Amino acid sequence: MEKSRSNLPAAAGVLDGFSDLQLRRLTKLYRQRLEDATADVAHAVAFSLYAKTVIANVEYEEIAGIDSDKASQLLLQMVLSKEDAKAARAMWQSFTDFRENNAFLKVKKILQEIEDKGDSLHKEINWAPDEVIHDCLVAIHRQHQEILRKRNATLALTSIHGCKLEKTFPLDKHFTELLIIPSLRYQEQVQHELLARGREHAEWRKQVLRRSLEKVRHHEIFGSSFGKCTHCLYAVISGVAGIGKTTLVQKIVHDWAERKIYGQFHFLFQFKFRELNNYQERTSLKQIILHSYPYLEKDLKKIMENPNRILLIFDGLDEFQEPIIFPDIQTKSSNSETKGTSCLYLESWCSIPDIIRALFQGQLLLGCSVLVTTRPTALESLQKAPVHLYAEILGFSEAQIKDYFLKFNSDTKVSLEMLAYVEDNAILYTMCYNPSYCWVICSSLEATFTSPRLRDWSPPKTITQLYANYIHNILKNHAREAEEPRELLLKTGDMAYMGVAERVIVFSDYHFHRYGLQPSNFLSGFLMQILQKENSLKDVVYSFFHLTVQEFLAALAKFFQTPSPKLSQLLDETSTTKDGRYEIFLQFIAGLSCPATTGQLKDLIGEVPQENVYKVVDWIKQRFESAQRHKIQLLNTLYYLFEAQNKALVQETMGQVRQVDFSFQIMSPVDCYVLAVALGHCQQLQNLHLFNCSIESWGMKSLKNVLHKCVNVRLAQNRLGDQGVKFLCEALRKPDCQMQTLELWMANLTDGCVEDLCSALCTNVSVTDLNLKDNAFTDRSVPTLLQLVEKCSSLRTINLCNNLFNESGRQKLEVFEGKMKHTRPELKIKV
């Protein structure tokens, strides 16, 4: 085998020490990630390889002639198809040459990762799992896979209309890919988890789209280049409630059972933490496995003789009631170092936390792989655990939302109508990043768009209306005649509120008896549609289909049955709780003060208590007055105003506002939508400061309808892009536009938006100060910019510093400023 070497500036001392065979293995190991990382730059890399004569002209022309995504795939295919590693070496060399270019952010990350791994990378690329199963285990292996395949073959979801209690789908046909990124983030729950993650999700999605973050696919968690080592043993996947963790686990198990992924594992075992809560006494890993897989009893000892062929999955750490405390040890300790520590055996009797901890530390089934899923707020308990890979589910991208809608209903026309309606409602559309929200939205809209009698009925516009519609449809279609809707709703709501207040999301028979609810209701009816029944290891437990359903029912119960004086006290107490557990609950309380929202529940729960409506309205006013200097509180209050849908209330609170400042606060598209609705009631806004808020074109689409009311607008350090500027220009062209100062520096603007921006500014004669510094304008823009300065007579200052002008472009701008001194001495062009 050829042993040629090459000195590569990046990963010095690592890649230059690889043989051809090792380099090819490394390229194959990173192939999928390299295809993703070079999707935007494949043409440039291909030209570099052509210039180095490692690919022929005809090969380069083939790559250059197709779009970038396919080009990156073809590039890696060509490189790996060469008999020697010359092309692979040249490609890695090109990566190091281009690594400082912003378009190569993902490539740079991979190179840094290779450098960090150092000599250990040699071991990783030579590691190849033996997939041969012992003869005596072949039969039970196949039986185990078939049982898991059948258990996970269908996805069952609650139906809210029609006779069926649930809708079932083949998992393969209904499963929609999720956006998963490799990351490690801990979060103190200052805001409600879903609110905070909704806003952060917008920012993380932007980074993925900017190619600075990588995507992890469900088959890349183990045995890929992600993580601290290729033969990753311990992985953790986090995500907020409803984001798809359990469904992802189902997909992993199903695909393993169908022999599509993770062939290195001969046996896979799946457990739910909520079921493990029922082990109040000591047990053993053997007992836990046999309780779920009793047919393995005869072969279990033989199976466990080869732990490195075993994968254990534990779903829902956040639902586990006992702490798992890891000692303060060096997580980088090797497996060999753990051999001398106290070990547990398959039959060792101990607590569940001890079993989990021992698995992670290699003191039990040394060499086995473990996957844990959890909500972000429970990640801290694993901070000291020796985890090789952390990943986070961000939910759906825009393309995946469309895919979900198309799969939801067999009638493509209905699916597209539903999607079009949601796309026109920013607050609903942004919620669709969360699969559970997406299900609720699709379920509610399907009843409207498929029923002739409901065709003229207005679909929900707010989150509260969405859930009111959701509960109404369930009660109308699935409640038994013996059930009293009002009593059932209020009792369930009381239990739900206890859960919100005490952070309980898993309910037992004790809770049902405490609130006068009988578990027998699960035989049919309303409760079966909003609660999930879990036949756990030792008991039966229940949880709401989604945390937000629990919060809505809690708000419904408190709004309809709390006496007016006590409601004021409740609102004051919950709104001052600093951990954010009541934020969505309070949005629902505000939304229930809207007659259009509660009207659809009137026949089920009775008349709305008007005194409580007045109390909520007064409370929103007070919150607005006290939140002026606190950005998060103010934004939350704007959500209350939006949910209340009370025009008089919004006019009274927002009508005289003269300044709004959300600078340095991440503003998701839905935040921008809610802000725009509120600003629509302002007569004139002197200052709108949205500096460094992570706003992109989607947010500008909402804000365009109110920007013309603002005198001084700060939109600097946002990634508006040329599309965002198009929306801004619509505001500038309005006859009543009052804008005078416009800051757009570092807003990701290019030559592509200059014509439109200049045309709009020439139409508007009120702008006096324009800041466009730190963008990407080139000499191509200079003639149009000169035309702008000449025609826009109101303009006094235009800042163009730190753009991409060359010397001749700058000279033209400076000379033009000199010529204008006689007629417009106040004019300043900064370059």
Side-chain angles (χ1 to χ4, degrees):
M1 179 63 62
E2 183 186 356
K3 298 287 183 180
S4 62
R5 300 287 189 266
S6 172
N7 292 320
L8 300 180
V14 181
L15 294 183
D16 56 344
F18 277 31
S19 68
D20 281 2
L21 176 61
Q22 290 172 327
L23 195 66
R24 288 173 64 83
R25 284 180 176 175
L26 178 75
T27 307
K28 289 179 179 179
L29 178 65
Y30 279 88
R31 177 173 181 170
Q32 183 64 64
R33 290 176 67 183
L34 288 174
E35 287 181 1
D36 292 341
T38 59
D40 283 345
V41 294
H43 296 149
V45 176
F47 182 78
S48 174
L49 298 187
Y50 168 63
K52 294 174 182 178
T53 67
V54 294
I55 64 173
N57 180 61
V58 65
E59 292 175 311
Y60 166 68
E61 292 292 342
E62 185 179 359
I63 293 174
I66 58 179
D67 65 69
S68 56
D69 285 332
K70 292 180 180 178
S72 64
Q73 297 173 17
L74 181 58
L75 173 66
L76 267 294
Q77 179 183 324
M78 283 184 180
V79 167
L80 288 170
S81 67
K82 304 295 182 182
E83 291 185 4
D84 57 27
K86 183 179 178 181
R89 290 190 184 280
M91 180 181 69
W92 285 102
Q93 179 70 56
S94 296
F95 291 159
T96 63
D97 294 342
F98 294 137
R99 70 183 298 176
E100 297 306 323
N101 188 296
N102 284 337
F104 283 77
L105 289 174
K106 284 186 179 180
V107 173
K108 183 177 181 179
K109 180 180 178 181
I110 291 172
L111 292 173
Q112 185 61 53
E113 183 181 295
I114 289 173
E115 292 180 34
D116 292 341
K117 288 183 176 180
D119 292 338
S120 67
L121 199 57
H122 286 272
K123 297 179 181 179
E124 290 189 31
I125 62 174
N126 290 323
W127 178 78
D130 179 12
E131 297 188 12
V132 177
I133 302 174
H134 198 285
D135 289 344
C136 66
L137 294 177
V138 171
I140 192 65
H141 165 75
R142 290 176 179 171
Q143 179 187 351
H144 184 58
Q145 282 194 321
E146 181 60 17
I147 288 173
L148 288 184
R149 187 192 67 79
K150 290 180 178 179
R151 284 184 186 179
N152 294 277
T154 59
L155 194 61
L157 298 170
T158 304
S159 174
I160 69 169
H161 63 94
C163 299
K164 293 183 179 180
L165 295 176
E166 64 180 19
K167 295 178 71 172
T168 57
F169 306 89
L171 179 68
D172 280 343
K173 293 183 178 179
H174 190 75
F175 180 79
T176 301
E177 288 295 332
L178 294 160
L179 184 58
I180 309 172
I181 57 172
S183 71
L184 172 57
R185 297 188 291 164
Y186 301 112
Q187 177 188 357
E188 188 174 328
Q189 198 168 20
V190 178
Q191 302 174 66
H192 183 284
E193 187 179 24
L194 288 174
L195 273 178
R197 289 292 156 139
R199 290 172 190 143
E200 288 186 10
H201 174 264
E203 177 62 21
W204 281 76
R205 180 177 57 196
K206 293 168 193 172
Q207 292 189 41
V208 170
L209 295 177
R210 290 202 300 264
R211 309 274 180 185
S212 61
L213 285 176
E214 297 185 86
K215 291 180 287 188
V216 181
R217 294 161 179 82
H218 77 288
H219 59 273
E220 296 175 328
I221 299 167
F222 297 98
S224 73
S225 61
F226 284 107
K228 296 178 181 178
C229 63
T230 301
H231 44 287
C232 170
L233 299 178
Y234 312 121
V236 175
I237 296 179
S238 72
V240 300
I243 204 68
K245 299 183 294 296
T246 298
T247 304
L248 177 67
V249 167
Q250 184 179 349
K251 177 66 172 173
I252 290 172
V253 175
H254 181 261
D255 283 4
W256 174 82
E258 289 207 328
R259 306 175 192 177
K260 295 178 180 178
I261 62 174
Y262 301 138
Q264 68 268 35
F265 300 123
H266 297 170
F267 289 88
L268 181 154
F269 304 108
Q270 174 188 3
F271 309 98
K272 294 184 178 181
F273 273 107
R274 67 170 58 178
E275 296 178 356
L276 298 179
N277 283 324
N278 291 282
Y279 282 99
Q280 302 299 321
E281 299 176 356
R282 289 173 173 257
T283 186
S284 67
L285 181 59
K286 177 180 179 180
Q287 290 299 315
I288 295 173
I289 292 175
L290 291 180
H291 191 280
S292 296
Y293 310 98
Y295 52 87
L296 295 177
E297 184 169 13
K298 185 179 71 172
D299 300 289
L300 189 59
K301 184 177 180 180
K302 185 68 177 178
I303 290 170
M304 293 302 172
E305 288 178 0
N306 200 2
N308 61 341
R309 299 294 173 258
I310 293 172
L311 171 60
L312 298 118
I313 300 178
F314 296 91
D315 187 23
L317 173 63
D318 51 283
E319 297 177 359
F320 194 51
Q321 295 172 352
E322 295 185 61
I324 303 176
I325 302 173
F326 287 86
D328 192 9
I329 61 173
Q330 294 296 320
T331 58
K332 63 182 180 181
S333 297
S334 66
N335 286 335
S336 61
E337 292 173 327
T338 64
K339 290 181 180 178
T341 61
S342 176
C343 292
L344 298 177
Y345 301 97
L346 189 63
E347 299 87 358
S348 297
W349 288 84
C350 55
S351 67
I352 296 296
D354 285 339
I355 291 174
I356 303 298
R357 182 172 55 250
L359 286 169
F360 269 97
Q361 293 179 334
Q363 297 170 358
L364 174 62
L365 288 185
L366 177 63
C368 75
S369 295
V370 180
L371 171 62
V372 170
T373 71
T374 179
R375 285 165 59 176
T377 46
L379 274 175
E380 193 170 358
S381 63
L382 296 173
Q383 192 169 10
K384 295 178 182 179
V387 176
H388 295 111
L389 173 65
Y390 284 93
E392 180 171 358
I393 303 175
L394 294 187
F396 291 152
S397 65
E398 292 182 37
Q400 290 160 346
I401 290 172
K402 181 177 181 180
D403 185 41
Y404 187 94
F405 270 75
L406 290 174
K407 290 177 178 178
F408 185 84
N409 192 289
S410 58
D411 188 333
T412 303
K413 183 175 180 292
V414 171
S415 294
L416 291 175
E417 285 181 349
M418 289 161 50
L419 179 62
Y421 176 80
V422 172
E423 285 176 336
D424 287 338
N425 187 318
I427 198 164
L428 294 183
Y429 188 57
T430 306
M431 287 172 64
C432 287
Y433 87 88
N434 185 302
S436 286
Y437 275 152
C438 213
W439 164 256
V440 172
I441 289 170
C442 286
S443 298
S444 295
L445 293 181
E446 186 180 44
T448 303
F449 283 89
T450 58
S451 174
R453 64 184 179 84
L454 293 177
R455 272 286 178 173
D456 296 330
W457 178 73
S458 177
K461 296 179 180 178
T462 69
I463 299 176
T464 314
Q465 288 179 8
L466 175 70
Y467 277 87
N469 176 250
Y470 178 72
I471 295 299
H472 177 270
N473 279 326
I474 290 176
L475 278 167
K476 278 294 187 183
N477 289 285
H478 296 301
R480 296 179 303 170
E481 292 182 6
E483 293 176 335
E484 170 53 48
R486 178 182 172 86
E487 182 181 0
L488 190 60
L489 273 175
L490 296 182
K491 285 181 178 181
T492 308
D494 285 338
M495 185 177 73
Y497 179 78
M498 177 278 296
V500 173
E502 300 178 17
R503 298 204 170 186
V504 175
I505 60 174
V506 179
F507 302 87
S508 65
D509 283 353
Y510 163 76
H511 296 110
F512 275 76
H513 291 303
R514 177 180 168 185
Y515 290 95
L517 294 166
Q518 296 298 320
S520 59
N521 282 329
F522 280 93
L523 296 175
S524 64
F526 168 68
L527 287 177
M528 192 170 185
Q529 307 310 305
I530 62 168
L531 289 162
Q532 300 175 93
K533 181 180 179 180
E534 295 286 347
N535 294 309
S536 65
L537 298 173
K538 293 186 177 181
D539 203 352
V540 177
V541 293
Y542 313 90
S543 64
F544 285 90
F545 163 67
H546 190 277
L547 176 61
T548 317
V549 175
Q550 179 178 338
E551 291 165 316
F552 175 77
L553 290 170
L556 196 68
K558 289 301 178 184
F559 182 81
F560 272 87
Q561 64 182 352
T562 304
S564 182
K566 289 188 176 181
L567 182 62
S568 297
Q569 181 182 352
L570 174 71
L571 292 171
D572 291 337
E573 290 175 354
T574 54
S575 61
T576 54
T577 302
K578 294 183 179 180
D579 62 16
R581 72 183 72 180
Y582 294 108
E583 285 303 334
I584 299 293
F585 167 81
L586 289 171
Q587 282 190 29
F588 284 139
I589 289 284
L592 290 169
S593 69
C594 172
T597 302
T598 52
Q600 55 189 312
L601 295 172
K602 185 177 178 180
D603 58 333
L604 300 172
I605 201 169
E607 293 293 335
V608 176
Q610 287 301 316
E611 283 298 319
N612 283 0
V613 172
Y614 302 144
K615 285 293 181 183
V616 171
V617 170
D618 290 340
W619 171 76
I620 294 175
K621 292 178 186 177
Q622 294 169 9
R623 287 290 294 174
F624 184 81
E625 292 171 2
S626 64
Q628 295 303 306
R629 296 183 180 180
H630 304 279
K631 294 174 184 177
I632 289 294
Q633 291 181 21
L634 178 58
L635 191 56
N636 286 336
T637 306
L638 296 184
Y639 272 87
Y640 304 153
L641 288 170
F642 177 80
E643 290 295 322
Q645 294 286 295
N646 186 327
K647 291 184 179 180
L649 175 60
V650 182
Q651 186 64 49
E652 182 179 345
T653 52
M654 294 296 300
Q656 301 304 315
V657 170
R658 291 293 175 264
Q659 176 168 312
V660 172
D661 185 357
F662 283 112
S663 296
F664 299 100
Q665 170 65 44
I666 291 178
M667 298 286 288
S668 72
V670 68
D671 293 334
C672 293
Y673 180 79
V674 169
L675 174 61
V677 171
L679 294 182
H681 294 268
C682 295
Q683 296 176 3
Q684 184 190 63
L685 198 67
Q686 188 66 27
N687 299 306
L688 177 61
H689 294 168
L690 299 175
F691 171 75
N692 196 8
C693 291
S694 298
I695 297 173
E696 290 194 344
S697 59
W698 194 2
M700 288 299 296
K701 185 177 181 179
S702 298
L703 292 169
K704 70 177 183 179
N705 297 317
V706 294
L707 289 175
H708 66 287
K709 295 184 175 185
C710 309
V711 178
N712 302 309
V713 178
R714 296 185 69 194
L715 288 166
Q717 256 191 303
N718 291 293
R719 294 187 62 83
L720 306 184
D722 296 347
Q723 183 61 46
V725 169
K726 288 184 178 180
F727 294 128
L728 170 63
C729 289
E730 292 184 35
L732 287 169
R733 289 191 175 97
K734 292 189 176 182
D736 56 343
C737 181
Q738 304 172 44
M739 202 178 302
Q740 295 179 11
T741 301
L742 178 58
E743 293 190 12
L744 293 173
W745 55 274
M746 203 177 291
N748 198 35
L749 310 184
T750 71
D751 294 336
C753 72
V754 173
E755 290 282 351
D756 201 23
L757 182 60
C758 291
S759 172
L761 288 168
C762 289
T763 302
N764 179 288
V765 294
S766 63
V767 176
T768 59
D769 297 283
L770 179 62
N771 193 333
L772 298 172
K773 71 176 183 178
D774 293 301
N775 283 294
F777 299 129
T778 69
D779 285 7
R780 290 177 55 196
S781 299
V782 171
T784 308
L785 290 169
L786 294 178
Q787 187 179 31
L788 163 67
V789 175
E790 184 177 12
K791 291 187 176 182
C792 187
S793 57
S794 63
L795 198 61
R796 294 198 303 260
T797 303
I798 179 170
N799 191 336
L800 295 167
C801 296
N802 298 327
N803 275 280
L804 302 180
F805 304 123
N806 61 29
E807 189 60 31
S808 64
R810 283 192 293 271
Q811 285 182 357
K812 289 179 182 179
L813 290 165
E814 290 168 353
V815 169
F816 188 80
E817 180 187 16
K819 289 182 179 179
M820 300 293 289
K821 282 294 182 184
H822 299 294
T823 55
R824 292 167 62 184
E826 76 285 356
L827 177 65
K828 291 183 179 179
I829 303 177
K830 300 179 181 180
V831 289

